[in-house]
Amino acid sequence: MSTYTIIYDIVRQIPPGTVATYGQIAELANLPGKARLVGYALYRVAPDSDIPWHRVVNAKGTISESPERYGSDHLQRVLLEAEGVQFDRTGKIRLRDYLWTAPADRESSL
DNA sequence: CTAATGACGTAGA
DNA sequence: ATCTACGCCATTA
């Protein structure tokens, strides 16, 4: 079990139609304040992985775009919209409506 | 062992 | 709202 494995386990539990922030994942993974690690971890994830990486966005509610992603950032938006997540005209998600709330019994399923 | 590498968050201007 | 600066660290070559 590596640190990144923990992060992937959390991400795998995000339900369709909802999104989580990097910071949120970090805290659930017992890595408070280390949101970057979550980003670093997701960077390693293959786009065709079984991990719903597209449900993770930054605290601003926007998709973190980067040249290093070679378009997977645009794909992320497409996948989210396919699940019913709407973006406003500035490309931001209304986190208040779609933000995932981790179930209290999450730990029992680990 | 060392060096390079990145999907963030927050605070202040 | 938008921008800059800085902290932070596991994984890979």
Side-chain angles (χ1 to χ4, degrees), chain A residues 14-79:
Chain A
I14 305 174
T18 68
V19 297
T21 65
Y22 294 94
Q24 186 179 7
I25 301 296
E27 292 194 11
L28 291 173
N30 216 321
L31 299 168
K34 300 175 185 170
R36 289 194 93 167
L37 283 184
V38 178
Y40 300 157
L42 289 180
Y43 170 75
R44 320 276 174 171
V45 178
D48 60 333
S49 161
D50 61 318
I51 299 170
W53 53 270
H54 58 279
R55 299 186 190 134
V56 185
V57 296
N58 59 33
K60 298 189 294 282
T62 66
I63 291 176
S64 290
E65 297 183 13
S66 167
E68 313 302 321
R69 298 185 64 174
Y70 299 101
S72 75
D73 40 11
H74 177 260
L75 171 63
Q76 178 168 9
R77 172 163 179 163
V78 173
L79 291 173

